[in-house]
PDB file of all heavy atoms in Angstrom:
ATOM      1  N   GLU H   1      -9.919 291.860  60.698  1.00 54.00           N
ATOM      2  CA  GLU H   1      -9.343 290.555  60.691  1.00 54.00           C
ATOM      3  C   GLU H   1      -8.669 290.242  62.033  1.00 54.00           C
ATOM      4  O   GLU H   1      -8.049 291.082  62.656  1.00 54.00           O
ATOM      5  CB  GLU H   1      -8.291 290.451  59.575  1.00 54.00           C
ATOM      6  CG  GLU H   1      -8.877 290.473  58.146  1.00 54.00           C
ATOM      7  CD  GLU H   1      -7.830 290.266  57.117  1.00 54.00           C
ATOM      8  OE1 GLU H   1      -6.648 290.042  57.479  1.00 54.00           O
ATOM      9  OE2 GLU H   1      -8.147 290.344  55.946  1.00 54.00           O
ATOM     10  N   THR H   2      -8.783 288.957  62.432  1.00 47.00           N
ATOM     11  CA  THR H   2      -8.087 288.527  63.612  1.00 47.00           C
ATOM     12  C   THR H   2      -6.633 288.224  63.284  1.00 47.00           C
ATOM     13  O   THR H   2      -6.244 288.223  62.133  1.00 47.00           O
ATOM     14  CB  THR H   2      -8.756 287.262  64.209  1.00 47.00           C
ATOM     15  OG1 THR H   2      -8.692 286.231  63.222  1.00 47.00           O
ATOM     16  CG2 THR H   2     -10.156 287.549  64.593  1.00 47.00           C
ATOM     17  N   GLY H   3      -5.882 287.965  64.264  1.00 49.00           N
ATOM     18  CA  GLY H   3      -4.448 287.761  64.090  1.00 49.00           C
ATOM     19  C   GLY H   3      -3.684 288.595  65.091  1.00 49.00           C
ATOM     20  O   GLY H   3      -4.263 289.370  65.843  1.00 49.00           O
ATOM     21  N   THR H   4      -2.390 288.417  65.121  1.00 55.00           N
ATOM     22  CA  THR H   4      -1.590 289.153  66.097  1.00 55.00           C
ATOM     23  C   THR H   4      -1.375 290.576  65.615  1.00 55.00           C
ATOM     24  O   THR H   4      -0.759 290.799  64.553  1.00 55.00           O
ATOM     25  CB  THR H   4      -0.232 288.487  66.276  1.00 55.00           C
ATOM     26  OG1 THR H   4      -0.440 287.093  66.659  1.00 55.00           O
ATOM     27  CG2 THR H   4       0.585 289.197  67.321  1.00 55.00           C
ATOM     28  N   PRO H   5      -1.872 291.570  66.324  1.00 69.00           N
ATOM     29  CA  PRO H   5      -1.676 292.961  65.935  1.00 69.00           C
ATOM     30  C   PRO H   5      -0.224 293.400  66.200  1.00 69.00           C
ATOM     31  O   PRO H   5       0.360 293.015  67.182  1.00 69.00           O
ATOM     32  CB  PRO H   5      -2.676 293.726  66.806  1.00 69.00           C
ATOM     33  CG  PRO H   5      -2.805 292.902  68.017  1.00 69.00           C
ATOM     34  CD  PRO H   5      -2.646 291.469  67.592  1.00 69.00           C
ATOM     35  N   GLU H   6       0.290 294.215  65.312  1.00 77.00           N
ATOM     36  CA  GLU H   6       1.599 294.746  65.485  1.00 77.00           C
ATOM     37  C   GLU H   6       1.553 295.959  66.416  1.00 77.00           C
ATOM     38  O   GLU H   6       0.652 296.789  66.326  1.00 77.00           O
ATOM     39  CB  GLU H   6       2.209 295.188  64.151  1.00 77.00           C
ATOM     40  CG  GLU H   6       2.419 294.033  63.158  1.00 77.00           C
ATOM     41  CD  GLU H   6       3.527 293.146  63.557  1.00 77.00           C
ATOM     42  OE1 GLU H   6       4.426 293.563  64.292  1.00 77.00           O
ATOM     43  OE2 GLU H   6       3.502 291.963  63.125  1.00 77.00           O
ATOM     44  N   ALA H   7       2.530 296.050  67.320  1.00 87.00           N
ATOM     45  CA  ALA H   7       2.641 297.246  68.141  1.00 87.00           C
ATOM     46  C   ALA H   7       3.237 298.352  67.279  1.00 87.00           C
ATOM     47  O   ALA H   7       4.280 298.191  66.628  1.00 87.00           O
ATOM     48  CB  ALA H   7       3.544 296.978  69.339  1.00 87.00           C
ATOM     49  N   VAL H   8       2.579 299.513  67.235  1.00 92.00           N
ATOM     50  CA  VAL H   8       2.939 300.536  66.277  1.00 92.00           C
ATOM     51  C   VAL H   8       3.767 301.634  66.974  1.00 92.00           C
ATOM     52  O   VAL H   8       3.697 301.854  68.178  1.00 92.00           O
ATOM     53  CB  VAL H   8       1.678 301.181  65.651  1.00 92.00           C
ATOM     54  CG1 VAL H   8       0.850 300.136  64.974  1.00 92.00           C
ATOM     55  CG2 VAL H   8       0.849 301.944  66.692  1.00 92.00           C
ATOM     56  N   GLY H   9       4.548 302.331  66.145  1.00 95.00           N
ATOM     57  CA  GLY H   9       5.263 303.532  66.581  1.00 95.00           C
ATOM     58  C   GLY H   9       4.355 304.752  66.354  1.00 95.00           C
ATOM     59  O   GLY H   9       3.154 304.633  66.465  1.00 95.00           O
ATOM     60  N   PHE H  10       4.990 305.872  66.083  1.00 96.00           N
ATOM     61  CA  PHE H  10       4.172 307.070  65.842  1.00 96.00           C
ATOM     62  C   PHE H  10       3.235 306.766  64.635  1.00 96.00           C
ATOM     63  O   PHE H  10       3.637 306.146  63.669  1.00 96.00           O
ATOM     64  CB  PHE H  10       5.056 308.274  65.527  1.00 96.00           C
ATOM     65  CG  PHE H  10       5.869 308.749  66.680  1.00 96.00           C
ATOM     66  CD1 PHE H  10       7.143 309.225  66.488  1.00 96.00           C
ATOM     67  CD2 PHE H  10       5.344 308.732  67.966  1.00 96.00           C
ATOM     68  CE1 PHE H  10       7.890 309.679  67.591  1.00 96.00           C
ATOM     69  CE2 PHE H  10       6.069 309.167  69.031  1.00 96.00           C
ATOM     70  CZ  PHE H  10       7.362 309.652  68.860  1.00 96.00           C
ATOM     71  N   PHE H  11       1.988 307.208  64.747  1.00 96.00           N
ATOM     72  CA  PHE H  11       1.014 306.920  63.700  1.00 96.00           C
ATOM     73  C   PHE H  11       0.092 308.071  63.419  1.00 96.00           C
ATOM     74  O   PHE H  11      -0.129 308.973  64.289  1.00 96.00           O
ATOM     75  CB  PHE H  11       0.173 305.684  64.091  1.00 96.00           C
ATOM     76  CG  PHE H  11      -0.613 305.868  65.374  1.00 96.00           C
ATOM     77  CD1 PHE H  11      -1.913 306.325  65.354  1.00 96.00           C
ATOM     78  CD2 PHE H  11      -0.054 305.553  66.615  1.00 96.00           C
ATOM     79  CE1 PHE H  11      -2.663 306.520  66.517  1.00 96.00           C
ATOM     80  CE2 PHE H  11      -0.785 305.725  67.794  1.00 96.00           C
ATOM     81  CZ  PHE H  11      -2.082 306.220  67.726  1.00 96.00           C
ATOM     82  N   ASP H  12      -0.431 308.085  62.213  1.00 96.00           N
ATOM     83  CA  ASP H  12      -1.456 309.068  61.798  1.00 96.00           C
ATOM     84  C   ASP H  12      -2.372 308.335  60.809  1.00 96.00           C
ATOM     85  O   ASP H  12      -1.998 308.082  59.652  1.00 96.00           O
ATOM     86  CB  ASP H  12      -0.761 310.274  61.103  1.00 96.00           C
ATOM     87  CG  ASP H  12      -1.751 311.393  60.843  1.00 96.00           C
ATOM     88  OD1 ASP H  12      -2.955 311.228  61.100  1.00 96.00           O
ATOM     89  OD2 ASP H  12      -1.297 312.476  60.361  1.00 96.00           O
ATOM     90  N   ILE H  13      -3.523 307.921  61.290  1.00 95.00           N
ATOM     91  CA  ILE H  13      -4.387 306.961  60.599  1.00 95.00           C
ATOM     92  C   ILE H  13      -5.715 307.571  60.278  1.00 95.00           C
ATOM     93  O   ILE H  13      -6.371 308.119  61.179  1.00 95.00           O
ATOM     94  CB  ILE H  13      -4.558 305.676  61.443  1.00 95.00           C
ATOM     95  CG1 ILE H  13      -3.202 304.983  61.677  1.00 95.00           C
ATOM     96  CG2 ILE H  13      -5.523 304.698  60.773  1.00 95.00           C
ATOM     97  CD1 ILE H  13      -3.270 303.832  62.676  1.00 95.00           C
ATOM     98  N   SER H  14      -6.159 307.430  59.044  1.00 95.00           N
ATOM     99  CA  SER H  14      -7.478 307.873  58.643  1.00 95.00           C
ATOM    100  C   SER H  14      -8.344 306.730  58.098  1.00 95.00           C
ATOM    101  O   SER H  14      -9.394 306.955  57.540  1.00 95.00           O
ATOM    102  CB  SER H  14      -7.384 309.002  57.604  1.00 95.00           C
ATOM    103  OG  SER H  14      -6.648 308.586  56.462  1.00 95.00           O
ATOM    104  N   PHE H  15      -7.842 305.502  58.199  1.00 93.00           N
ATOM    105  CA  PHE H  15      -8.567 304.279  57.851  1.00 93.00           C
ATOM    106  C   PHE H  15      -8.877 304.165  56.350  1.00 93.00           C
ATOM    107  O   PHE H  15      -9.769 303.403  55.955  1.00 93.00           O
ATOM    108  CB  PHE H  15      -9.820 304.142  58.706  1.00 93.00           C
ATOM    109  CG  PHE H  15      -9.533 304.184  60.166  1.00 93.00           C
ATOM    110  CD1 PHE H  15      -9.869 305.290  60.940  1.00 93.00           C
ATOM    111  CD2 PHE H  15      -8.886 303.142  60.784  1.00 93.00           C
ATOM    112  CE1 PHE H  15      -9.588 305.317  62.282  1.00 93.00           C
ATOM    113  CE2 PHE H  15      -8.574 303.179  62.140  1.00 93.00           C
ATOM    114  CZ  PHE H  15      -8.922 304.265  62.882  1.00 93.00           C
ATOM    115  N   GLU H  16      -8.184 304.887  55.521  1.00 93.00           N
ATOM    116  CA  GLU H  16      -8.383 304.765  54.075  1.00 93.00           C
ATOM    117  C   GLU H  16      -7.821 303.434  53.563  1.00 93.00           C
ATOM    118  O   GLU H  16      -8.209 302.972  52.493  1.00 93.00           O
ATOM    119  CB  GLU H  16      -7.688 305.936  53.348  1.00 93.00           C
ATOM    120  CG  GLU H  16      -8.221 307.298  53.736  1.00 93.00           C
ATOM    121  CD  GLU H  16      -9.728 307.420  53.539  1.00 93.00           C
ATOM    122  OE1 GLU H  16     -10.187 307.322  52.420  1.00 93.00           O
ATOM    123  OE2 GLU H  16     -10.431 307.600  54.557  1.00 93.00           O
ATOM    124  N   GLU H  17      -6.948 302.792  54.331  1.00 88.00           N
ATOM    125  CA  GLU H  17      -6.339 301.524  53.960  1.00 88.00           C
ATOM    126  C   GLU H  17      -6.748 300.405  54.894  1.00 88.00           C
ATOM    127  O   GLU H  17      -6.095 299.397  55.030  1.00 88.00           O
ATOM    128  CB  GLU H  17      -4.816 301.673  53.873  1.00 88.00           C
ATOM    129  CG  GLU H  17      -4.319 302.673  52.889  1.00 88.00           C
ATOM    130  CD  GLU H  17      -2.830 302.822  52.930  1.00 88.00           C
ATOM    131  OE1 GLU H  17      -2.156 302.053  53.631  1.00 88.00           O
ATOM    132  OE2 GLU H  17      -2.298 303.704  52.217  1.00 88.00           O
ATOM    133  N   GLY H  18      -7.900 300.538  55.574  1.00 86.00           N
ATOM    134  CA  GLY H  18      -8.398 299.542  56.468  1.00 86.00           C
ATOM    135  C   GLY H  18      -8.152 299.891  57.931  1.00 86.00           C
ATOM    136  O   GLY H  18      -7.948 301.065  58.268  1.00 86.00           O
ATOM    137  N   ALA H  19      -8.181 298.890  58.808  1.00 87.00           N
ATOM    138  CA  ALA H  19      -8.121 299.124  60.240  1.00 87.00           C
ATOM    139  C   ALA H  19      -6.750 299.564  60.716  1.00 87.00           C
ATOM    140  O   ALA H  19      -6.633 300.230  61.762  1.00 87.00           O
ATOM    141  CB  ALA H  19      -8.560 297.870  60.998  1.00 87.00           C
ATOM    142  N   GLN H  20      -5.694 299.151  60.031  1.00 88.00           N
ATOM    143  CA  GLN H  20      -4.329 299.630  60.287  1.00 88.00           C
ATOM    144  C   GLN H  20      -3.903 299.492  61.721  1.00 88.00           C
ATOM    145  O   GLN H  20      -3.401 300.419  62.345  1.00 88.00           O
ATOM    146  CB  GLN H  20      -4.170 301.086  59.805  1.00 88.00           C
ATOM    147  CG  GLN H  20      -4.353 301.266  58.287  1.00 88.00           C
ATOM    148  CD  GLN H  20      -4.277 302.703  57.816  1.00 88.00           C
ATOM    149  OE1 GLN H  20      -5.268 303.343  57.576  1.00 88.00           O
ATOM    150  NE2 GLN H  20      -3.018 303.231  57.762  1.00 88.00           N
ATOM    151  N   GLY H  21      -4.128 298.307  62.261  1.00 88.00           N
ATOM    152  CA  GLY H  21      -3.645 297.996  63.612  1.00 88.00           C
ATOM    153  C   GLY H  21      -4.672 298.112  64.700  1.00 88.00           C
ATOM    154  O   GLY H  21      -4.409 297.694  65.838  1.00 88.00           O
ATOM    155  N   TRP H  22      -5.824 298.695  64.434  1.00 92.00           N
ATOM    156  CA  TRP H  22      -6.878 298.818  65.470  1.00 92.00           C
ATOM    157  C   TRP H  22      -7.642 297.525  65.576  1.00 92.00           C
ATOM    158  O   TRP H  22      -7.967 296.887  64.584  1.00 92.00           O
ATOM    159  CB  TRP H  22      -7.796 299.985  65.130  1.00 92.00           C
ATOM    160  CG  TRP H  22      -7.181 301.281  65.405  1.00 92.00           C
ATOM    161  CD1 TRP H  22      -6.330 301.990  64.603  1.00 92.00           C
ATOM    162  CD2 TRP H  22      -7.319 302.086  66.636  1.00 92.00           C
ATOM    163  NE1 TRP H  22      -5.933 303.139  65.224  1.00 92.00           N
ATOM    164  CE2 TRP H  22      -6.505 303.241  66.442  1.00 92.00           C
ATOM    165  CE3 TRP H  22      -8.035 301.921  67.781  1.00 92.00           C
ATOM    166  CZ2 TRP H  22      -6.402 304.206  67.441  1.00 92.00           C
ATOM    167  CZ3 TRP H  22      -7.941 302.879  68.767  1.00 92.00           C
ATOM    168  CH2 TRP H  22      -7.149 304.022  68.588  1.00 92.00           C
ATOM    169  N   ILE H  23      -7.934 297.116  66.797  1.00 88.00           N
ATOM    170  CA  ILE H  23      -8.581 295.827  67.065  1.00 88.00           C
ATOM    171  C   ILE H  23      -9.755 296.022  68.014  1.00 88.00           C
ATOM    172  O   ILE H  23      -9.861 297.037  68.724  1.00 88.00           O
ATOM    173  CB  ILE H  23      -7.569 294.809  67.707  1.00 88.00           C
ATOM    174  CG1 ILE H  23      -7.009 295.394  69.034  1.00 88.00           C
ATOM    175  CG2 ILE H  23      -6.470 294.494  66.746  1.00 88.00           C
ATOM    176  CD1 ILE H  23      -6.108 294.439  69.799  1.00 88.00           C
ATOM    177  N   PRO H  24     -10.690 295.045  68.059  1.00 88.00           N
ATOM    178  CA  PRO H  24     -11.819 295.166  68.999  1.00 88.00           C
ATOM    179  C   PRO H  24     -11.323 295.033  70.445  1.00 88.00           C
ATOM    180  O   PRO H  24     -10.348 294.312  70.713  1.00 88.00           O
ATOM    181  CB  PRO H  24     -12.724 293.957  68.630  1.00 88.00           C
ATOM    182  CG  PRO H  24     -12.201 293.454  67.329  1.00 88.00           C
ATOM    183  CD  PRO H  24     -10.789 293.818  67.225  1.00 88.00           C
ATOM    184  N   ARG H  25     -12.015 295.725  71.322  1.00 87.00           N
ATOM    185  CA  ARG H  25     -11.757 295.585  72.783  1.00 87.00           C
ATOM    186  C   ARG H  25     -13.016 295.100  73.445  1.00 87.00           C
ATOM    187  O   ARG H  25     -14.068 295.690  73.310  1.00 87.00           O
ATOM    188  CB  ARG H  25     -11.317 296.933  73.350  1.00 87.00           C
ATOM    189  CG  ARG H  25     -11.069 296.909  74.845  1.00 87.00           C
ATOM    190  CD  ARG H  25     -10.539 298.242  75.358  1.00 87.00           C
ATOM    191  NE  ARG H  25     -10.503 298.283  76.807  1.00 87.00           N
ATOM    192  CZ  ARG H  25      -9.606 297.708  77.578  1.00 87.00           C
ATOM    193  NH1 ARG H  25      -8.579 297.079  76.980  1.00 87.00           N
ATOM    194  NH2 ARG H  25      -9.656 297.769  78.886  1.00 87.00           N
ATOM    195  N   GLY H  26     -12.899 293.953  74.173  1.00 82.00           N
ATOM    196  CA  GLY H  26     -14.093 293.368  74.765  1.00 82.00           C
ATOM    197  C   GLY H  26     -14.953 292.728  73.759  1.00 82.00           C
ATOM    198  O   GLY H  26     -14.507 292.165  72.751  1.00 82.00           O
TER     199      GLY H  26
END
């Protein structure tokens, strides 16, 4: 989804709940 991504603190992501802050580049 587009929209303003949140700047995250320490993270440990396995994408079980979606993109979780990751966005396309280029």
Side-chain angles (χ1 to χ4, degrees):
E1 291 184 3
T2 60
T4 303
E6 296 290 336
V8 302
F10 293 144
F11 61 91
D12 189 356
I13 298 172
S14 59
F15 304 107
E16 300 305 296
E17 299 177 7
Q20 296 178 257
W22 285 82
I23 59 175
R25 178 176 170 79

